[in-house]
Amino acid sequence: MWLKLSCLCLLFVPVQTFAQEKDSTNHGDTLKMYLKIKKVAYRHRFTTLLYHSVFVDPTPVKPLPQDTKVRTDAKEANPYAPYEGKVIRSIEIQVLDPFGYSINDTAVKVGNPLQKVGNRFHRTSRTWIIRNLLLFEEKDTLDLLRIGESERLLRNTAYINDAWIYVYADSLSGDSVDIKVSVHDKWTIDAPLALTRFGGRLTFRDRNLAGLGQTFEQYLGYHIPTTDYELGGKFRVNNLQKTYISSEYFYTYSRELKGVGFTFDRPFYSPLTKWAGGLSMNQSWGNFNYYDSSLQGETHTPLNMLNFDTWVAKSYRPPIRKYKHRRISSVVMALRYAGTRYQQRPSFVLDSARQNVNSTLYLGSLGFSLAKFYKDRYIFRFGANEDIPEGLLFQVLFGLIKKETIHSQYYIGLELSRGKHYKKFGYISAFATYGTFYSSFSRNNSTLNTGFNYFSNLLVKRQWLFRQFIYFKFVHGFNKPITERITIRPEEMFGFNSGLISGTEKAILTFETVIYAPYNFFGFKFAPVMLAGFGMINSGNLPLGKSPVYQSYATGMLIRNENLLSTSFEITLGIYPRPAGGESTYARFNPVTSFTLKVRTFTMSKPNIVAYD
């Protein structure tokens, strides 16, 4: 690993640092440089192996036409519209190995020996697994909505990097078409190791076990101060018998907590879905720690409980026949039954706050959903296709919660969210949710959670590509019990650590700028990122308006090089000038290790209490 990083660093030594406006000229110079490195490396067996552990043999590419421009409007007309309604004669499935291949050029040949070894040890996704994800079959009539949804569902899996569905026909006058489904596999095996001064954790994970689309994960943790260890794992089977029902089995084991469980779930994976639902159960065995005055020390008593959760939902098409969005719109009714049952627990003398009580939740929802997606590029993936949700969601939640020793409380909630791409403005998605528990015996316990996400159109300035992102979130709790508090989580502000600060109200505003540079330094493509976050929380007796403004700033680089075995990675550095708790300014290396688009979808899901987070 260190040798690999050393070789990468050598590429930035300013021996021949330059940048060309035209990518074709730059690529030619880069190709010569790589060939020189290869010539020197091939003098010795060790350096030859080292070269192939870092580089992929570059190949010349055709220069783009001089009038080629980056599209800033990603919503293009569907080229297969003339074929809609024709019969699907055949379906061909092509699965590409993860290393050295591209979904845009399936004729590329792998020349790097380590890439060949990696592909040899990779089990490609089985073609019948891909076929089971499609929403169409042979002898069906061509439906553009099902074609688009199938392509999106393929890209949405954990083991496929990109997917394209091509439609072919002998002529427009013919009555049948052929379809080719081309998918590019991901390398799905990894073993991350996390080390801290208090211990570490090693995880082994395969997200496409034996090419069957199943996930296997096992981790081992060790705590240095207490010399304790923990084990855990899960096994997930996706899309059972082409039903889009998935099941997961999991366990955890440590000195303090042991547990097992399973889930079965079928979401509204597409606007075309008519039924959804799920079932989950988990059993845990732990301890309730308390101070025993007679023993002059801390002791514990068993705390064992069973959690269960089940729900079912039915989707109906709007009754208006001439409504143009009828096929991607749904009126959805859903019911949920969940609860907690304790087999062993402390007495209420020890548990004076009565946190460990049997409870039952009955929750229903009635809502309207309009959900669609469009494809865009140059968001976080260097030009690869990304699916962006648009639509409208409105739902009403109603229910009842029963808790031991506490009077039953009724619940009502509202959710409204809207997302749309505007040609001259960009993409904006806003949401507002409000929920309240009420009864005649206590004050209403209510939550307001609202916010918006925005990202600009792709801005082009002399071949530089820019995108600006803005995220805002506001959460307020009314009449919350002392045990319910919120804080600023690290993932909300680029690694900011809020420490022990908590309250009942918070506001967070973050800015992200991504810049795709037109220059190609020795085959490296760069996308600088600049991040800024501001948060307020009404800790203590201070109202939100008088709370300190906590800040986080980060800068980094998304880096991609098609000539390397590992084509893309990111580096970030975060600075926190006003930490919580009066600490001095501090910095963190790589506080953000993954850049993804954070937008809400507009499909209905399991009825949920409005999140207080």
Side-chain angles (χ1 to χ4, degrees):
M1 180 64 184
W2 288 109
L3 289 172
K4 182 175 180 179
L5 291 176
S6 301
C7 289
L8 293 179
C9 293
L10 287 176
L11 295 179
F12 294 98
V13 177
V15 176
Q16 194 183 355
T17 304
F18 65 95
Q20 300 289 338
E21 281 288 321
K22 297 181 180 179
D23 188 71
S24 59
T25 303
N26 197 348
H27 181 86
D29 293 336
T30 302
L31 179 60
K32 292 179 182 178
M33 187 274 295
Y34 278 117
L35 292 176
K36 289 179 181 179
I37 294 177
K38 181 178 180 179
K39 184 178 180 180
V40 174
Y42 266 51
R43 294 176 181 174
H44 304 282
R45 181 175 298 180
F46 174 75
T47 54
T48 300
L49 179 62
L50 184 61
Y51 172 86
H52 286 300
S53 70
V54 179
F55 298 107
V56 177
D57 284 343
T59 55
V61 296
K62 288 184 178 181
L64 294 175
Q66 294 296 320
D67 60 348
T68 299
K69 295 181 180 180
V70 176
R71 289 186 59 90
T72 56
D73 179 12
K75 294 185 175 182
E76 304 176 24
N78 195 315
Y80 304 133
Y83 304 121
E84 187 161 25
K86 295 182 182 295
V87 177
I88 299 174
R89 181 169 55 187
S90 65
I91 300 174
E92 177 189 354
I93 308 292
Q94 179 188 43
V95 183
L96 302 175
D97 280 317
F99 298 118
Y101 290 95
S102 169
I103 200 73
N104 299 314
D105 186 2
T106 58
V108 173
K109 294 183 178 180
V110 181
N112 186 292
L114 289 185
Q115 283 189 316
K116 292 180 179 179
V117 171
N119 289 338
R120 191 174 299 140
F121 280 96
H122 171 77
R123 181 59 172 92
T124 55
S125 302
R126 312 292 178 99
T127 55
W128 61 270
I129 290 292
I130 303 301
R131 191 178 294 270
N132 284 349
L133 290 169
L134 303 179
L135 301 181
F136 56 87
E137 297 178 347
E138 293 174 351
K139 298 183 181 180
D140 288 347
T141 57
L142 184 67
D143 184 338
L144 294 181
L145 178 58
R146 291 183 178 274
I147 295 291
E149 282 294 289
S150 298
E151 192 177 272
R152 179 184 64 83
L153 290 170
L154 288 170
R155 280 195 293 266
N156 199 42
T157 63
Y159 47 89
I160 293 176
N161 183 51
D162 204 353
W164 279 101
I165 297 179
Y166 305 90
V167 179
Y168 300 94
D170 295 334
S171 66
L172 285 175
S173 59
D175 60 355
S176 62
V177 294
D178 299 309
I179 290 181
K180 180 178 180 179
V181 180
S182 183
V183 300
H184 183 201
D185 264 6
K186 289 181 181 177
W187 176 261
T188 56
I189 299 176
D190 59 357
L193 175 63
L195 296 175
T196 68
R197 59 177 178 171
F198 302 110
R201 173 182 287 195
L202 175 63
T203 303
F204 174 81
R205 179 171 49 229
D206 188 345
R207 291 165 291 172
N208 192 10
L209 187 65
L212 298 172
Q214 302 171 1
T215 299
F216 172 80
E217 182 176 316
Q218 176 67 55
Y219 71 84
L220 171 64
Y222 183 73
H223 303 279
I224 294 176
T226 59
T227 66
D228 292 335
Y229 69 92
E230 58 178 328
L231 291 170
K234 67 178 181 180
F235 181 71
R236 182 174 180 85
V237 181
N238 295 296
N239 194 18
L240 294 166
Q241 297 297 313
K242 203 176 179 179
T243 60
Y244 269 92
I245 297 175
S246 298
S247 63
E248 183 171 299
Y249 310 89
F250 52 89
Y251 82 97
T252 182
Y253 180 88
S254 68
R255 189 178 68 173
E256 296 295 330
L257 180 66
K258 303 170 185 63
V260 295
F262 69 88
T263 65
F264 286 88
D265 64 274
R266 186 182 197 259
F268 283 110
Y269 54 88
S270 167
L272 301 171
T273 312
K274 294 182 179 180
W275 286 94
L279 169 67
S280 67
M281 298 186 71
N282 68 82
Q283 174 75 51
S284 64
W285 298 268
N287 295 310
F288 179 84
N289 298 317
Y290 66 97
Y291 181 82
D292 190 328
S293 57
S294 63
L295 298 175
Q296 295 295 310
E298 191 174 88
T299 186
H300 61 266
T301 187
L303 181 64
N304 305 333
M305 62 180 176
L306 172 69
N307 293 304
F308 59 90
D309 194 347
T310 183
W311 68 285
V312 64
K314 179 69 171 70
S315 170
Y316 302 89
R317 291 285 169 260
I320 306 173
R321 294 284 181 180
K322 295 184 178 180
Y323 178 44
K324 69 175 182 178
H325 295 306
R326 187 171 184 267
R327 293 194 66 203
I328 57 174
S329 301
S330 306
V331 176
V332 179
M333 297 179 61
L335 295 172
R336 180 185 177 191
Y337 172 61
T340 300
R341 299 290 183 268
Y342 286 87
Q343 291 86 39
Q344 289 183 291
R345 61 182 177 181
S347 66
F348 290 147
V349 175
L350 298 176
D351 182 15
S352 57
R354 300 194 176 187
Q355 295 183 358
N356 301 296
V357 296
N358 295 325
S359 64
T360 304
L361 172 67
Y362 304 91
L363 195 61
S365 68
L366 175 63
F368 172 79
S369 167
L370 188 159
K372 58 181 179 178
F373 297 82
Y374 74 94
K375 287 187 291 189
D376 208 339
R377 298 186 304 141
Y378 287 103
I379 297 179
F380 286 117
R381 296 190 60 197
F382 286 90
N385 289 309
E386 300 181 58
D387 299 291
I388 315 301
E390 285 186 311
L392 170 69
L393 176 64
F394 174 76
Q395 69 171 331
V396 179
L397 298 152
F398 48 89
L400 170 71
I401 186 169
K402 293 182 176 181
K403 290 187 177 181
E404 253 184 313
T405 73
I406 302 175
H407 293 286
S408 297
Q409 291 182 302
Y410 295 96
Y411 183 81
I412 188 167
L414 296 171
E415 178 180 358
L416 175 63
S417 58
R418 179 77 169 101
K420 184 175 175 60
H421 175 263
Y422 297 91
K423 186 174 181 180
K424 296 184 178 180
F425 176 69
Y427 177 88
I428 187 165
S429 171
F431 68 93
T433 57
Y434 178 81
T436 183
F437 290 99
Y438 62 94
S439 74
S440 57
F441 300 97
S442 61
R443 294 191 300 171
N444 292 359
N445 176 349
S446 308
T447 300
L448 172 66
N449 192 330
T450 185
F452 71 85
N453 301 328
Y454 166 80
F455 66 85
S456 67
N457 288 327
L458 190 64
L459 307 176
V460 183
K461 184 68 172 177
R462 293 185 180 180
Q463 296 187 341
W464 289 80
L465 309 180
F466 299 80
R467 276 203 198 269
Q468 179 64 54
F469 301 81
I470 303 175
Y471 303 97
F472 174 74
K473 181 178 181 180
F474 173 75
V475 182
H476 182 82
F478 304 87
N479 303 322
K480 291 293 180 182
I482 193 65
T483 55
E484 293 188 37
R485 288 294 183 266
I486 55 177
T487 187
I488 299 175
R489 303 193 306 275
E491 62 270 20
E492 293 179 312
M493 275 180 53
F494 318 122
F496 176 81
N497 183 9
S498 61
L500 299 177
I501 292 180
S502 64
T504 58
E505 185 180 23
K506 71 176 179 180
I508 297 173
L509 178 65
T510 63
F511 300 88
E512 301 182 20
T513 303
V514 180
I515 308 169
Y516 287 92
Y519 305 133
N520 185 331
F521 292 90
F522 302 131
F524 283 88
K525 296 179 181 179
F526 300 96
V529 292
M530 294 178 288
L531 316 170
F534 307 92
M536 302 172 68
I537 188 165
N538 67 335
S539 57
N541 297 320
L542 290 175
L544 187 67
K546 296 183 179 180
S547 166
V549 178
Y550 300 107
Q551 306 168 46
S552 63
Y553 302 95
T555 185
M557 190 80 68
L558 306 180
I559 305 171
R560 187 174 182 85
N561 191 328
E562 299 293 346
N563 298 310
L564 297 182
L565 197 62
S566 180
T567 58
S568 61
F569 49 95
E570 57 276 324
I571 299 172
T572 55
L573 176 66
I575 300 176
Y576 312 93
R578 191 170 185 176
E583 300 176 2
S584 58
T585 299
Y586 67 97
R588 285 184 58 188
F589 179 69
N590 261 10
V592 184
T593 58
S594 176
F595 289 88
T596 57
L597 185 61
K598 299 180 282 289
V599 295
R600 299 166 66 93
T601 61
F602 301 95
T603 53
M604 298 285 283
S605 59
K606 176 174 67 176
N608 264 313
I609 304 297
V610 172
Y612 183 54
D613 62 355

